[in-house]
Amino acid sequence: MSGQSLLVPGELSPTRSVPGNIRRPEYVGKPAPTPYTGPEIQDSDTIERMRIAGRIAAQAMEEAAKHISPGVTTDELDRVAHDFMIDHGAYPSTLGYRGYPKSLCSSVNEVICHGIPDSTVLRDGDIVNLDVTAYINGVHGDNNATYLCGDVDEESRLLVERTRESLARAIKAVRPGRQINVIGRVIESYAKRFGYGVVRDFTGHGINSSFHSGLIIPHYDSPHATTVMQPGMTFTIEPMLTLGTHEYDMWEDGWTVVTKDRKRTAQFEHTLVVTETGAEILTLP
């Protein structure tokens, strides 16, 4: 694995502005969102609106990813995604969610998730996850992917490729009538082939008009995830695989989650709707 030094917190830039005509999620300016009490199964109108939100989120992530290069700051990636979402009339869902200060999450190398964009400069050989969620027309679309920065070592490159494949296999396992835990079973069994850890304490989630509805999608074979999938259910699958332990530490910022052994980790995510025959990906560019 790359012998690069471990990450340290950088400096935050000022909070980016959002025009007043762009609708905010209800949680902006509050310490926490109002608990979701609606259905996990969405009607066709909500699903169509989620396709729009998902497409904008996917396009914003793609646009930011074009700028991943040695010497670029994670704050610059945040600026690109923020501007793209604003230009398309969408609100960056993470901005102001439980006080989160930026418009995407940028998780580099040993950061499992929720890395805050700052003055950190990307280095040749880094891997960087971008997690982008867009809110428009009253609904959210959430996706993430891990990208290679420059010349990345083989062990890290394979981790990224296999994490992407674990998500693809999990999506294929989605079927109405099956329990949610089939998703984690597929991911965990695939990851074990390569000796990877599977993060347990951060999961996929229900999503709709709520950023996180309360439905939990574990990425390991959980005996408790017995909810039966039904057509119209909308949720994310977002496996986080590690080169070592699945255990973690959290930085003092209360957001940045790093592997306890500081080995590298990768993640991929899509927002899905369960169909009559499987799953439709709603976060396609």
Side-chain angles (χ1 to χ4, degrees):
M1 192 186 77
S2 170
Q4 289 181 348
S5 58
L6 299 177
L7 291 169
V8 295
E11 296 294 323
L12 289 181
S13 64
T15 302
R16 304 190 196 284
S17 63
V18 178
N21 64 313
I22 292 180
R23 178 179 173 185
R24 273 83 166 144
E26 59 83 24
Y27 52 74
V28 174
K30 296 163 53 177
T34 302
Y36 179 71
T37 57
E40 297 295 348
I41 298 171
Q42 306 305 310
D43 59 28
S44 58
D45 173 68
T46 302
I47 293 167
E48 178 55 34
R49 285 184 283 128
M50 290 182 68
R51 286 191 187 98
I52 295 169
R55 182 166 62 248
I56 292 172
Q59 290 172 339
M61 185 174 72
E62 272 197 343
E63 193 63 31
K66 292 176 184 177
H67 294 75
I68 291 174
S69 181
V72 174
T73 65
T74 54
D75 187 67
E76 173 64 8
L77 304 179
D78 182 79
R79 184 197 64 78
V80 172
H82 177 94
D83 289 351
F84 185 95
M85 286 185 273
I86 296 307
D87 289 346
H88 288 77
Y91 185 91
S93 300
T94 59
L95 184 62
Y97 178 78
R98 297 183 181 271
Y100 187 83
K102 292 297 176 180
S103 297
L104 58 69
C105 299
S106 55
S107 301
V108 180
N109 296 344
E110 70 269 20
V111 180
I112 295 172
C113 57
H114 305 158
I116 301 175
D118 58 18
S119 60
T120 296
V121 176
L122 296 178
R123 302 162 296 182
D124 186 56
D126 283 342
I127 59 174
V128 54
N129 178 273
L130 301 182
D131 193 336
V132 180
T133 310
Y135 177 80
I136 190 170
N137 298 326
V139 297
H140 301 268
D142 185 5
N143 68 163
N144 76 55
T146 303
Y147 300 91
L148 310 181
C149 181
D151 184 18
V152 175
D153 67 271
E154 180 76 355
E155 185 179 37
S156 298
R157 187 183 63 78
L158 286 173
L159 173 69
V160 171
E161 287 183 5
R162 290 163 176 168
T163 306
R164 181 191 294 112
E165 175 65 14
S166 76
L167 173 59
R169 290 173 179 237
I171 292 171
K172 289 178 181 177
V174 173
R175 290 284 188 282
R178 290 180 175 176
Q179 292 182 344
I180 290 289
N181 57 15
V182 70
I183 294 169
R185 189 175 307 132
V186 166
I187 292 167
E188 187 172 41
S189 63
Y190 179 71
K192 279 184 174 179
R193 293 191 199 178
F194 312 105
Y196 295 154
V198 181
V199 173
R200 303 168 78 88
D201 291 329
F202 300 89
T203 68
H205 52 88
I207 184 171
N208 38 66
S209 61
S210 172
F211 195 172
H212 299 86
S213 72
L215 177 67
I216 294 173
I217 313 295
H219 303 118
Y220 63 98
D221 187 4
S222 169
H224 306 295
T226 56
T227 300
V228 174
M229 291 182 271
Q230 301 178 59
M233 289 179 71
T234 49
F235 53 80
T236 71
I237 303 176
E238 44 188 300
M240 291 152 264
L241 305 187
T242 68
L243 289 176
T245 182
H246 68 268
E247 296 180 348
Y248 68 92
D249 293 321
M250 186 174 288
W251 283 6
E252 290 184 3
D253 61 25
W255 285 105
T256 306
V257 178
V258 296
T259 54
K260 186 169 282 291
D261 57 12
R262 304 303 191 265
K263 291 186 177 180
R264 288 187 170 190
T265 176
Q267 182 183 17
F268 284 83
E269 173 187 21
H270 275 304
T271 296
L272 313 170
V273 59
V274 180
T275 68
E276 296 291 342
T277 57
E280 176 192 346
I281 299 172
L282 298 178
T283 39
L284 291 176

Short mmCIF file of all heavy atoms in Angstrom, two decimals, residues 11-18 60-61 63-68 72-87 91-96 100-107 114-120 122 128-133:
data_model
loop_
_atom_site.label_atom_id
_atom_site.label_comp_id
_atom_site.label_asym_id
_atom_site.label_seq_id
_atom_site.Cartn_x
_atom_site.Cartn_y
_atom_site.Cartn_z
N GLU A 11 -7.78 23.68 6.83
CA GLU A 11 -8.53 24.89 7.16
C GLU A 11 -9.81 24.93 6.34
O GLU A 11 -9.81 24.66 5.14
CB GLU A 11 -7.69 26.13 6.88
CG GLU A 11 -6.44 26.24 7.74
CD GLU A 11 -6.77 26.44 9.20
OE1 GLU A 11 -7.76 27.16 9.49
OE2 GLU A 11 -6.06 25.87 10.06
N LEU A 12 -10.91 25.32 7.00
CA LEU A 12 -12.20 25.45 6.31
C LEU A 12 -12.32 26.82 5.66
O LEU A 12 -11.94 27.83 6.25
CB LEU A 12 -13.35 25.26 7.29
CG LEU A 12 -13.61 23.86 7.84
CD1 LEU A 12 -14.82 23.88 8.78
CD2 LEU A 12 -13.85 22.86 6.72
N SER A 13 -12.88 26.84 4.47
CA SER A 13 -13.22 28.10 3.83
C SER A 13 -14.57 28.59 4.36
O SER A 13 -15.31 27.83 5.00
CB SER A 13 -13.30 27.92 2.31
OG SER A 13 -14.35 27.03 1.97
N PRO A 14 -14.93 29.84 4.11
CA PRO A 14 -16.24 30.33 4.56
C PRO A 14 -17.39 29.51 3.96
O PRO A 14 -17.26 28.92 2.88
CB PRO A 14 -16.27 31.77 4.04
CG PRO A 14 -14.83 32.16 3.91
CD PRO A 14 -14.12 30.91 3.50
N THR A 15 -18.50 29.48 4.66
CA THR A 15 -19.68 28.75 4.19
C THR A 15 -20.14 29.31 2.84
O THR A 15 -20.23 30.53 2.65
CB THR A 15 -20.83 28.88 5.21
OG1 THR A 15 -20.38 28.37 6.46
CG2 THR A 15 -22.06 28.10 4.74
N ARG A 16 -20.41 28.42 1.90
CA ARG A 16 -20.85 28.85 0.58
C ARG A 16 -22.32 29.26 0.63
O ARG A 16 -23.12 28.66 1.35
CB ARG A 16 -20.64 27.74 -0.44
CG ARG A 16 -19.19 27.26 -0.49
CD ARG A 16 -18.91 26.34 -1.65
NE ARG A 16 -17.64 25.64 -1.44
CZ ARG A 16 -16.44 26.19 -1.60
NH1 ARG A 16 -16.34 27.44 -1.99
NH2 ARG A 16 -15.34 25.48 -1.35
N SER A 17 -22.66 30.25 -0.16
CA SER A 17 -24.02 30.78 -0.14
C SER A 17 -24.92 30.04 -1.12
O SER A 17 -24.45 29.46 -2.11
CB SER A 17 -24.01 32.27 -0.47
OG SER A 17 -23.51 32.48 -1.78
N VAL A 18 -26.20 30.06 -0.81
CA VAL A 18 -27.22 29.46 -1.68
C VAL A 18 -28.27 30.54 -1.94
O VAL A 18 -28.77 31.16 -1.00
CB VAL A 18 -27.89 28.25 -1.00
CG1 VAL A 18 -28.99 27.67 -1.89
CG2 VAL A 18 -26.85 27.18 -0.68
N ALA A 60 -23.37 16.36 -10.63
CA ALA A 60 -22.51 17.22 -9.81
C ALA A 60 -21.28 16.46 -9.35
O ALA A 60 -20.16 17.01 -9.32
CB ALA A 60 -23.29 17.75 -8.61
N MET A 61 -21.46 15.20 -8.97
CA MET A 61 -20.33 14.37 -8.55
C MET A 61 -19.36 14.16 -9.72
O MET A 61 -18.13 14.26 -9.55
CB MET A 61 -20.82 13.03 -8.00
CG MET A 61 -19.72 12.16 -7.43
SD MET A 61 -20.36 10.67 -6.64
CE MET A 61 -20.88 9.70 -8.08
N GLU A 63 -18.91 16.10 -12.25
CA GLU A 63 -18.23 17.36 -12.55
C GLU A 63 -17.09 17.61 -11.57
O GLU A 63 -16.00 18.01 -11.96
CB GLU A 63 -19.25 18.50 -12.51
CG GLU A 63 -18.74 19.80 -13.10
CD GLU A 63 -18.41 19.70 -14.58
OE1 GLU A 63 -19.03 18.91 -15.31
OE2 GLU A 63 -17.48 20.42 -15.01
N ALA A 64 -17.36 17.37 -10.27
CA ALA A 64 -16.31 17.54 -9.28
C ALA A 64 -15.16 16.56 -9.52
O ALA A 64 -13.98 16.92 -9.38
CB ALA A 64 -16.88 17.37 -7.88
N ALA A 65 -15.50 15.33 -9.89
CA ALA A 65 -14.48 14.30 -10.09
C ALA A 65 -13.53 14.65 -11.23
O ALA A 65 -12.36 14.24 -11.21
CB ALA A 65 -15.14 12.96 -10.35
N LYS A 66 -14.00 15.42 -12.20
CA LYS A 66 -13.13 15.83 -13.31
C LYS A 66 -11.95 16.66 -12.81
O LYS A 66 -10.92 16.75 -13.49
CB LYS A 66 -13.92 16.65 -14.33
CG LYS A 66 -14.97 15.88 -15.10
CD LYS A 66 -15.75 16.81 -16.01
CE LYS A 66 -16.89 16.09 -16.73
NZ LYS A 66 -17.69 17.03 -17.56
N HIS A 67 -12.09 17.25 -11.64
CA HIS A 67 -11.05 18.12 -11.11
C HIS A 67 -10.10 17.41 -10.14
O HIS A 67 -9.19 18.04 -9.60
CB HIS A 67 -11.70 19.33 -10.41
CG HIS A 67 -12.43 20.23 -11.34
ND1 HIS A 67 -13.67 19.90 -11.88
CD2 HIS A 67 -12.11 21.45 -11.84
CE1 HIS A 67 -14.07 20.90 -12.66
NE2 HIS A 67 -13.15 21.83 -12.66
N ILE A 68 -10.33 16.11 -9.91
CA ILE A 68 -9.44 15.36 -9.02
C ILE A 68 -8.07 15.20 -9.67
O ILE A 68 -7.94 14.60 -10.74
CB ILE A 68 -10.05 13.99 -8.66
CG1 ILE A 68 -11.29 14.17 -7.77
CG2 ILE A 68 -9.02 13.10 -7.97
CD1 ILE A 68 -12.03 12.88 -7.49
N VAL A 72 -4.77 19.66 -6.21
CA VAL A 72 -6.10 20.26 -6.04
C VAL A 72 -6.57 20.06 -4.60
O VAL A 72 -6.34 18.99 -4.02
CB VAL A 72 -7.11 19.64 -7.03
CG1 VAL A 72 -8.52 20.14 -6.78
CG2 VAL A 72 -6.68 19.94 -8.47
N THR A 73 -7.23 21.05 -4.02
CA THR A 73 -7.75 20.90 -2.66
C THR A 73 -9.13 20.25 -2.69
O THR A 73 -9.87 20.37 -3.66
CB THR A 73 -7.86 22.26 -1.95
OG1 THR A 73 -8.85 23.06 -2.61
CG2 THR A 73 -6.54 22.97 -1.90
N THR A 74 -9.46 19.60 -1.57
CA THR A 74 -10.81 19.04 -1.47
C THR A 74 -11.85 20.16 -1.41
O THR A 74 -13.00 19.98 -1.84
CB THR A 74 -10.94 18.12 -0.24
OG1 THR A 74 -10.53 18.82 0.94
CG2 THR A 74 -10.08 16.88 -0.42
N ASP A 75 -11.46 21.34 -0.92
CA ASP A 75 -12.38 22.47 -0.91
C ASP A 75 -12.75 22.89 -2.34
O ASP A 75 -13.90 23.30 -2.60
CB ASP A 75 -11.76 23.65 -0.17
CG ASP A 75 -12.73 24.80 -0.01
OD1 ASP A 75 -13.72 24.65 0.73
OD2 ASP A 75 -12.51 25.86 -0.63
N GLU A 76 -11.81 22.79 -3.26
CA GLU A 76 -12.12 23.12 -4.65
C GLU A 76 -13.13 22.14 -5.24
O GLU A 76 -14.02 22.53 -5.99
CB GLU A 76 -10.82 23.12 -5.48
CG GLU A 76 -11.02 23.29 -6.98
CD GLU A 76 -11.62 24.63 -7.39
OE1 GLU A 76 -11.77 25.53 -6.53
OE2 GLU A 76 -11.97 24.76 -8.57
N LEU A 77 -13.03 20.87 -4.88
CA LEU A 77 -14.02 19.89 -5.34
C LEU A 77 -15.40 20.24 -4.80
O LEU A 77 -16.42 20.11 -5.50
CB LEU A 77 -13.61 18.48 -4.90
CG LEU A 77 -12.22 18.02 -5.34
CD1 LEU A 77 -11.95 16.62 -4.80
CD2 LEU A 77 -12.06 18.06 -6.85
N ASP A 78 -15.44 20.69 -3.55
CA ASP A 78 -16.70 21.11 -2.95
C ASP A 78 -17.28 22.30 -3.70
O ASP A 78 -18.50 22.35 -3.97
CB ASP A 78 -16.46 21.48 -1.48
CG ASP A 78 -17.73 21.90 -0.76
OD1 ASP A 78 -18.51 21.00 -0.36
OD2 ASP A 78 -17.95 23.12 -0.59
N ARG A 79 -16.44 23.25 -4.07
CA ARG A 79 -16.91 24.43 -4.81
C ARG A 79 -17.54 24.03 -6.13
O ARG A 79 -18.61 24.53 -6.51
CB ARG A 79 -15.76 25.40 -5.05
CG ARG A 79 -16.20 26.70 -5.74
CD ARG A 79 -15.02 27.45 -6.35
NE ARG A 79 -14.37 26.71 -7.42
CZ ARG A 79 -14.85 26.61 -8.67
NH1 ARG A 79 -16.01 27.16 -8.99
NH2 ARG A 79 -14.19 25.92 -9.58
N VAL A 80 -16.90 23.12 -6.84
CA VAL A 80 -17.40 22.70 -8.15
C VAL A 80 -18.78 22.05 -8.02
O VAL A 80 -19.71 22.38 -8.76
CB VAL A 80 -16.40 21.74 -8.83
CG1 VAL A 80 -17.00 21.15 -10.11
CG2 VAL A 80 -15.09 22.46 -9.15
N ALA A 81 -18.91 21.11 -7.08
CA ALA A 81 -20.19 20.43 -6.90
C ALA A 81 -21.26 21.40 -6.41
O ALA A 81 -22.42 21.35 -6.86
CB ALA A 81 -20.04 19.27 -5.92
N HIS A 82 -20.90 22.28 -5.48
CA HIS A 82 -21.84 23.28 -4.97
C HIS A 82 -22.38 24.14 -6.11
O HIS A 82 -23.60 24.30 -6.26
CB HIS A 82 -21.13 24.16 -3.94
CG HIS A 82 -21.98 25.26 -3.39
ND1 HIS A 82 -22.71 25.13 -2.23
CD2 HIS A 82 -22.22 26.52 -3.85
CE1 HIS A 82 -23.36 26.26 -2.00
NE2 HIS A 82 -23.08 27.12 -2.97
N ASP A 83 -21.48 24.68 -6.92
CA ASP A 83 -21.90 25.56 -8.00
C ASP A 83 -22.78 24.83 -9.01
O ASP A 83 -23.75 25.39 -9.54
CB ASP A 83 -20.68 26.15 -8.71
CG ASP A 83 -19.96 27.18 -7.85
OD1 ASP A 83 -20.50 27.56 -6.79
OD2 ASP A 83 -18.84 27.60 -8.24
N PHE A 84 -22.44 23.56 -9.28
CA PHE A 84 -23.24 22.79 -10.24
C PHE A 84 -24.67 22.62 -9.73
O PHE A 84 -25.63 22.83 -10.47
CB PHE A 84 -22.61 21.42 -10.49
CG PHE A 84 -23.31 20.62 -11.56
CD1 PHE A 84 -22.85 20.65 -12.87
CD2 PHE A 84 -24.44 19.86 -11.28
CE1 PHE A 84 -23.51 19.94 -13.87
CE2 PHE A 84 -25.10 19.15 -12.27
CZ PHE A 84 -24.63 19.19 -13.56
N MET A 85 -24.81 22.22 -8.47
CA MET A 85 -26.15 22.02 -7.92
C MET A 85 -26.94 23.32 -7.89
O MET A 85 -28.13 23.35 -8.29
CB MET A 85 -26.06 21.38 -6.53
CG MET A 85 -25.69 19.91 -6.57
SD MET A 85 -25.70 19.08 -4.96
CE MET A 85 -24.03 19.43 -4.40
N ILE A 86 -26.30 24.41 -7.48
CA ILE A 86 -26.98 25.70 -7.45
C ILE A 86 -27.42 26.09 -8.85
O ILE A 86 -28.55 26.56 -9.08
CB ILE A 86 -26.05 26.77 -6.85
CG1 ILE A 86 -25.72 26.46 -5.39
CG2 ILE A 86 -26.69 28.17 -6.97
CD1 ILE A 86 -26.89 26.22 -4.50
N ASP A 87 -26.55 25.91 -9.84
CA ASP A 87 -26.87 26.27 -11.22
C ASP A 87 -28.04 25.46 -11.77
O ASP A 87 -28.69 25.89 -12.72
CB ASP A 87 -25.65 26.06 -12.12
CG ASP A 87 -24.54 27.08 -11.87
OD1 ASP A 87 -24.83 28.10 -11.20
OD2 ASP A 87 -23.40 26.85 -12.33
N TYR A 91 -30.49 22.25 -3.98
CA TYR A 91 -29.79 22.58 -2.74
C TYR A 91 -28.86 21.42 -2.38
O TYR A 91 -29.27 20.25 -2.43
CB TYR A 91 -30.79 22.80 -1.60
CG TYR A 91 -30.14 23.27 -0.31
CD1 TYR A 91 -29.99 24.62 -0.04
CD2 TYR A 91 -29.64 22.35 0.62
CE1 TYR A 91 -29.37 25.06 1.13
CE2 TYR A 91 -29.01 22.78 1.78
CZ TYR A 91 -28.88 24.13 2.03
OH TYR A 91 -28.25 24.55 3.17
N PRO A 92 -27.60 21.69 -2.00
CA PRO A 92 -26.69 20.62 -1.57
C PRO A 92 -27.14 20.07 -0.21
O PRO A 92 -27.02 20.76 0.81
CB PRO A 92 -25.33 21.31 -1.47
CG PRO A 92 -25.49 22.62 -2.19
CD PRO A 92 -26.92 23.01 -2.02
N SER A 93 -27.65 18.86 -0.19
CA SER A 93 -28.33 18.33 1.00
C SER A 93 -27.46 18.32 2.25
O SER A 93 -27.97 18.47 3.37
CB SER A 93 -28.84 16.92 0.74
OG SER A 93 -29.75 16.90 -0.34
N THR A 94 -26.16 18.13 2.09
CA THR A 94 -25.29 18.04 3.28
C THR A 94 -25.09 19.39 3.94
O THR A 94 -24.76 19.45 5.14
CB THR A 94 -23.92 17.44 2.92
OG1 THR A 94 -23.29 18.27 1.94
CG2 THR A 94 -24.06 16.02 2.40
N LEU A 95 -25.25 20.48 3.21
CA LEU A 95 -24.94 21.81 3.72
C LEU A 95 -25.95 22.21 4.79
O LEU A 95 -27.11 22.49 4.51
CB LEU A 95 -24.95 22.83 2.58
CG LEU A 95 -24.55 24.27 2.93
CD1 LEU A 95 -23.12 24.33 3.45
CD2 LEU A 95 -24.73 25.17 1.72
N GLY A 96 -25.49 22.19 6.05
CA GLY A 96 -26.38 22.52 7.16
C GLY A 96 -27.11 21.33 7.76
O GLY A 96 -27.90 21.51 8.69
N TYR A 100 -23.41 20.20 9.44
CA TYR A 100 -22.31 19.91 8.51
C TYR A 100 -22.05 21.15 7.66
O TYR A 100 -22.98 21.75 7.12
CB TYR A 100 -22.66 18.71 7.64
CG TYR A 100 -21.51 18.24 6.78
CD1 TYR A 100 -20.54 17.40 7.30
CD2 TYR A 100 -21.40 18.65 5.46
CE1 TYR A 100 -19.48 16.97 6.51
CE2 TYR A 100 -20.34 18.24 4.67
CZ TYR A 100 -19.38 17.39 5.20
OH TYR A 100 -18.32 16.98 4.43
N PRO A 101 -20.77 21.54 7.49
CA PRO A 101 -20.49 22.86 6.93
C PRO A 101 -20.29 22.94 5.42
O PRO A 101 -20.10 24.03 4.88
CB PRO A 101 -19.18 23.24 7.63
CG PRO A 101 -18.47 21.93 7.81
CD PRO A 101 -19.56 20.93 8.10
N LYS A 102 -20.32 21.82 4.71
CA LYS A 102 -19.97 21.85 3.29
C LYS A 102 -21.01 21.14 2.42
O LYS A 102 -21.95 20.52 2.92
CB LYS A 102 -18.58 21.23 3.09
CG LYS A 102 -17.45 22.08 3.68
CD LYS A 102 -17.36 23.43 2.99
CE LYS A 102 -16.32 24.33 3.61
NZ LYS A 102 -16.25 25.65 2.93
N SER A 103 -20.81 21.22 1.10
CA SER A 103 -21.82 20.77 0.14
C SER A 103 -21.58 19.38 -0.40
O SER A 103 -22.37 18.87 -1.19
CB SER A 103 -21.89 21.78 -1.02
OG SER A 103 -22.31 23.04 -0.53
N LEU A 104 -20.46 18.75 -0.02
CA LEU A 104 -20.24 17.33 -0.28
C LEU A 104 -19.33 16.80 0.82
O LEU A 104 -18.80 17.56 1.63
CB LEU A 104 -19.64 17.08 -1.68
CG LEU A 104 -18.32 17.70 -2.12
CD1 LEU A 104 -17.10 17.15 -1.41
CD2 LEU A 104 -18.13 17.47 -3.62
N CYS A 105 -19.16 15.49 0.84
CA CYS A 105 -18.17 14.86 1.72
C CYS A 105 -17.01 14.39 0.85
O CYS A 105 -17.23 13.79 -0.22
CB CYS A 105 -18.76 13.67 2.47
SG CYS A 105 -20.15 14.09 3.55
N SER A 106 -15.79 14.67 1.28
CA SER A 106 -14.60 14.24 0.55
C SER A 106 -13.75 13.39 1.50
O SER A 106 -13.16 13.92 2.44
CB SER A 106 -13.80 15.45 0.05
OG SER A 106 -13.48 16.33 1.13
N SER A 107 -13.74 12.09 1.25
CA SER A 107 -13.09 11.15 2.17
C SER A 107 -11.88 10.53 1.48
O SER A 107 -12.02 9.75 0.54
CB SER A 107 -14.10 10.09 2.61
OG SER A 107 -15.21 10.71 3.25
N HIS A 114 -17.68 10.90 5.51
CA HIS A 114 -17.99 12.19 6.13
C HIS A 114 -16.78 13.11 6.28
O HIS A 114 -16.79 14.00 7.14
CB HIS A 114 -18.68 12.00 7.48
CG HIS A 114 -19.91 11.16 7.41
ND1 HIS A 114 -20.42 10.49 8.50
CD2 HIS A 114 -20.73 10.86 6.36
CE1 HIS A 114 -21.50 9.82 8.12
NE2 HIS A 114 -21.70 10.02 6.83
N GLY A 115 -15.76 12.90 5.45
CA GLY A 115 -14.64 13.84 5.44
C GLY A 115 -15.11 15.22 4.99
O GLY A 115 -15.89 15.35 4.03
N ILE A 116 -14.66 16.27 5.67
CA ILE A 116 -15.09 17.64 5.38
C ILE A 116 -14.10 18.29 4.41
O ILE A 116 -12.91 18.36 4.69
CB ILE A 116 -15.18 18.47 6.67
CG1 ILE A 116 -16.17 17.83 7.65
CG2 ILE A 116 -15.60 19.90 6.35
CD1 ILE A 116 -16.22 18.53 9.01
N PRO A 117 -14.58 18.79 3.26
CA PRO A 117 -13.69 19.48 2.32
C PRO A 117 -13.02 20.69 2.99
O PRO A 117 -13.69 21.47 3.69
CB PRO A 117 -14.62 19.93 1.20
CG PRO A 117 -15.78 18.98 1.26
CD PRO A 117 -15.95 18.67 2.73
N ASP A 118 -11.71 20.83 2.77
CA ASP A 118 -10.96 21.92 3.40
C ASP A 118 -9.72 22.20 2.55
O ASP A 118 -9.71 21.92 1.35
CB ASP A 118 -10.62 21.58 4.86
CG ASP A 118 -9.81 20.30 5.03
OD1 ASP A 118 -9.19 19.83 4.03
OD2 ASP A 118 -9.77 19.75 6.14
N SER A 119 -8.70 22.73 3.18
CA SER A 119 -7.49 23.10 2.44
C SER A 119 -6.59 21.91 2.13
O SER A 119 -5.52 22.09 1.55
CB SER A 119 -6.70 24.14 3.25
OG SER A 119 -6.32 23.60 4.52
N THR A 120 -7.01 20.70 2.48
CA THR A 120 -6.22 19.50 2.20
C THR A 120 -5.93 19.40 0.70
O THR A 120 -6.84 19.49 -0.13
CB THR A 120 -6.96 18.24 2.67
OG1 THR A 120 -7.11 18.30 4.10
CG2 THR A 120 -6.22 16.97 2.28
N LEU A 122 -4.77 17.24 -2.48
CA LEU A 122 -4.67 15.87 -2.96
C LEU A 122 -3.26 15.59 -3.47
O LEU A 122 -2.63 16.45 -4.09
CB LEU A 122 -5.69 15.61 -4.07
CG LEU A 122 -7.16 15.71 -3.66
CD1 LEU A 122 -8.06 15.48 -4.88
CD2 LEU A 122 -7.49 14.70 -2.56
N VAL A 128 -9.86 9.07 -3.37
CA VAL A 128 -10.76 10.05 -2.76
C VAL A 128 -12.21 9.72 -3.09
O VAL A 128 -12.57 9.53 -4.26
CB VAL A 128 -10.41 11.49 -3.19
CG1 VAL A 128 -10.37 11.64 -4.71
CG2 VAL A 128 -11.37 12.51 -2.58
N ASN A 129 -13.01 9.63 -2.04
CA ASN A 129 -14.44 9.39 -2.21
C ASN A 129 -15.17 10.72 -2.17
O ASN A 129 -14.95 11.54 -1.28
CB ASN A 129 -14.97 8.48 -1.10
CG ASN A 129 -16.48 8.26 -1.21
OD1 ASN A 129 -17.27 9.04 -0.70
ND2 ASN A 129 -16.86 7.21 -1.90
N LEU A 130 -16.04 10.92 -3.15
CA LEU A 130 -16.94 12.07 -3.17
C LEU A 130 -18.36 11.59 -2.91
O LEU A 130 -18.82 10.66 -3.57
CB LEU A 130 -16.88 12.79 -4.51
CG LEU A 130 -15.52 13.34 -4.94
CD1 LEU A 130 -15.65 14.06 -6.27
CD2 LEU A 130 -14.93 14.25 -3.88
N ASP A 131 -19.02 12.20 -1.94
CA ASP A 131 -20.40 11.85 -1.58
C ASP A 131 -21.25 13.09 -1.78
O ASP A 131 -21.08 14.09 -1.08
CB ASP A 131 -20.44 11.38 -0.12
CG ASP A 131 -21.75 10.70 0.24
OD1 ASP A 131 -22.78 10.96 -0.42
OD2 ASP A 131 -21.74 9.90 1.19
N VAL A 132 -22.16 13.02 -2.76
CA VAL A 132 -22.94 14.19 -3.16
C VAL A 132 -24.42 13.87 -3.10
O VAL A 132 -24.87 12.85 -3.64
CB VAL A 132 -22.57 14.63 -4.60
CG1 VAL A 132 -23.39 15.86 -5.02
CG2 VAL A 132 -21.08 14.93 -4.71
N THR A 133 -25.18 14.74 -2.45
CA THR A 133 -26.63 14.60 -2.37
C THR A 133 -27.27 15.92 -2.78
O THR A 133 -26.85 16.99 -2.32
CB THR A 133 -27.08 14.23 -0.95
OG1 THR A 133 -26.32 13.13 -0.49
CG2 THR A 133 -28.56 13.86 -0.92
#
